[in-house]
């Protein structure tokens, strides 16, 4: 047997494992021990530092220190992956193996990293302070700012270790396949199998499992009644005397909706004229097993109550768990003098932000089925006996409300007016109107077809553009804030700079905001859960603006600026 070349006396035999490792580009053992970060690569660390520093750039809403740490950790992990990938591509073009980084390179990176991270952290604190001033947010936690780097480091390593775990599984699978196929085929097939298994695990077990668990938890909560909510004693509400929809079937948000709202006396104090008690009809998930039947039950109860005999009928598409923004309906009822009826239904147990991500199909079905059921009854009435038909929805509710219509003319011909607030980017009609806006009009307040039917307002108390053009016939109004992440969020933020960032910012968006691939997407994503936690008139908080929005759509007679001011105060305090 060949024992290899002999060695000279006193000379240790060569270390084949170490020699082969060096040929593959791995660092020798003693060099590895000298590395500041033993298991990191220099290109990956550079990428992590770059995206980690960029994570402090300004976004739409103020961020607490812990949330900033999470975003910094996620983006640092993405930067690490990009750095490693860029180095791999470079080696492929230069046709060479990886080489270990020198200790001096790591020391330079460490010093530069401390300086750059410190500067980025300081700028981030400055930008966050300015955003809080713009939005009128006073809360600030120094402790969270101090622990932010620790949170960022923790999330970075958790993600990095998870990725390396997936890589180990891939290598194991590829090793097994080499017993049956060639090395290239083993690597390709192994990569496909591990990627598919990862996707199935995330979407099937984790996401679907979490959604199912959340749905079960919130379904139990839906059986509860909010404090202070009591069953209506009037027959003008679902769940009241003679109702077709049992009180217990309305759900938590439905019971709050039918039990709330202004009374005729409260409306009279505002209008200083005789008023009626508003009509409210609702159907919850427990009312019927499918959306079509629930919509039919809600409309049947609306007919029983006398909703089709009122002069103003509002079809309201809810968000998530069946929530109806009280500001939207209360404003409608005040401005119509109580001569109104509102109908809505529940389509999910999940809260709004979860429904926003996973229940879009249910919102689409609910919006279409409810409007079609109302319109079927409404269209069969004599023309002179039909109420004015309006449609409204906020956030996911605007998405569902849109699905009943094919476009501008359909909205104009089948309704007397529409008010949508905070429309998400995936709204079909909203995107169509915005994408085909007139040249020169900004994305945060577009002008579509010279504003003949559809208009947009970031502040409905001001003149809705184009203010110099008559707005006749049916009015369709979208309320959207420049600082509302629900309006502007979308996967396209990862790779495409939106117009609204490159254009002049809105009055509540920092002019220093700029777009960075991957970074801006995760920043706006982090804004989503806190979109409603800012003062009225910013983010996804639309309360007093419903007063001016409905005033523009309804055009009520005898309502002046002083009346609107008083009503804004009432709605804001409600």
């Amino acid at each position: 047997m060949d024992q290899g070349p002999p060695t000279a006396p006193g000379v240790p035999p060569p270390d084949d494992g170490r020699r082969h490792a060096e040929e593959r580009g791995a660092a020798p053992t003693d060099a590895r021990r000298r590395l500041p970060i033993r298991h990191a690569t220099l290109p990956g660390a550079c990428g992590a530092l770059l995206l980690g520093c960029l994570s402090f750039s300004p976004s739409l809403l103020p961020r607490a220190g812990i949330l900033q740490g999470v975003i910094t950790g996620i983006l640092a992990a993405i930067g690490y992956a990009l750095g490693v990938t860029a180095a791999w591509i470079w080696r492929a073009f230069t046709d060479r193996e990886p080489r270990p980084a020198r200790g001096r390179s790591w020391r330079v990176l460490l010093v530069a990293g401390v300086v750059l991270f410190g500067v980025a952290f300081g700028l981030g604190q400055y930008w966050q302070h300015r955003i809080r001033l713009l939005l009128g947010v006073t809360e600030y936690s120094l402790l969270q700012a101090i622990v932010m780097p620790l949170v960022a480091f923790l999330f970075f390593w958790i993600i990095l270790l998870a990725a390396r775990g997936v890589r180990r599984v891939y290598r194991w699978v590829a090793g097994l396949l080499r017993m049956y196929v060639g090395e290239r085929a083993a690597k390709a097939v192994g990569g496909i199998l591990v990627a598919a298994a990862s996707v199935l695990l995330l979407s099937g077990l984790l996401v679907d499992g979490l959604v199912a668990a959340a749905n079960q938890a919130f379904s139990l909560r839906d059986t509860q009644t909010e404090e202070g909510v009591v069953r209506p004693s009037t027959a003008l509400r679902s769940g009241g005397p003679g109702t077709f929809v049992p009180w217990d079937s309305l759900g938590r948000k439905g019971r709050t909706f039918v039990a709330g709202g202004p009374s005729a006396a409260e409306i009279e104090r505002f209008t200083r004229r005789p008023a009626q008690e508003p009509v409210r009809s609702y159907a919850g998930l427990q009312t019927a097993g499918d959306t079509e039947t629930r919509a039919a039950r809600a409309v049947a109860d609306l007919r029983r109550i006398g909703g089709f005999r009122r002069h103003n009928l509002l079809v309201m598409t809810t968000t998530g768990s069946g929530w109806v923004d009280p500001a939207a309906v209360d404003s409608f009822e005040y401005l119509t003098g109580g001569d109104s009826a509102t109908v809505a239904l529940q389509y999910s147990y999940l809260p709004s932000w979860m429904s926003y991500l996973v229940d879009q199909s249910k919102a689409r079905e609910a919006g279409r089925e409810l409007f079609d059921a109302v319109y079927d009854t409404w269209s069969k009435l004599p023309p002179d006996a039909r109420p004015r038909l309006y449609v409204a929805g906020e956030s996911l509710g605007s998405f569902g409300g849109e699905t009943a219509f094919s476009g501008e003319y359909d909205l104009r011909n089948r309704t007397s007016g529409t008010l949508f607030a905070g429309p998400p980017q995936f709204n079909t009609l909203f995107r169509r109107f915005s994408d085909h806006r007139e040249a020169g009009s900004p994305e945060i307040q577009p002008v579509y077809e010279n504003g003949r039917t559809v208009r947009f307002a970031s502040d409905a108390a001001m003149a809705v553009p184009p203010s110099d053009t008559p707005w006749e016939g049916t009015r369709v109004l979208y309320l959207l804030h420049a600082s509302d992440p629900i309006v502007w969020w979308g996967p396209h933020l990862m790779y495409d700079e939106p117009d609204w960032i490159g254009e002049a910012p809105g009055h509540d968006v920092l002019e220093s905001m700029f777009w960075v691939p991957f970074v801006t997407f995760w920043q706006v994503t982090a804004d989503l859960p806190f979109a409603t936690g800012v003062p009225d008139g910013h983010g996804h908080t639309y309360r007093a603006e419903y007063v001016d929005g409905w005033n523009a759509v309804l055009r009520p007679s005898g309502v002046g600026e002083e009346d609107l001011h008083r009503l804004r105060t009432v709605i804001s305090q409600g």
Side-chain angles (χ1 to χ4, degrees), residues 446-469:
V447 175
Y448 177 75
E449 296 294 347
N450 203 30
R452 62 189 179 192
T453 300
V454 181
R455 297 197 180 188
F456 301 82
S458 56
D459 184 357
M462 308 295 289
V464 180
S467 56
D468 57 348
T469 302

Side-chain angles (χ1 to χ4, degrees), residues 527-548:
D527 290 335
L528 291 176
F530 306 96
T532 59
V534 293
D536 190 17
H538 305 286
H540 197 63
T541 307
Y542 302 86
R543 283 198 292 270
E545 282 167 286
Y546 276 114
V547 173
D548 298 289

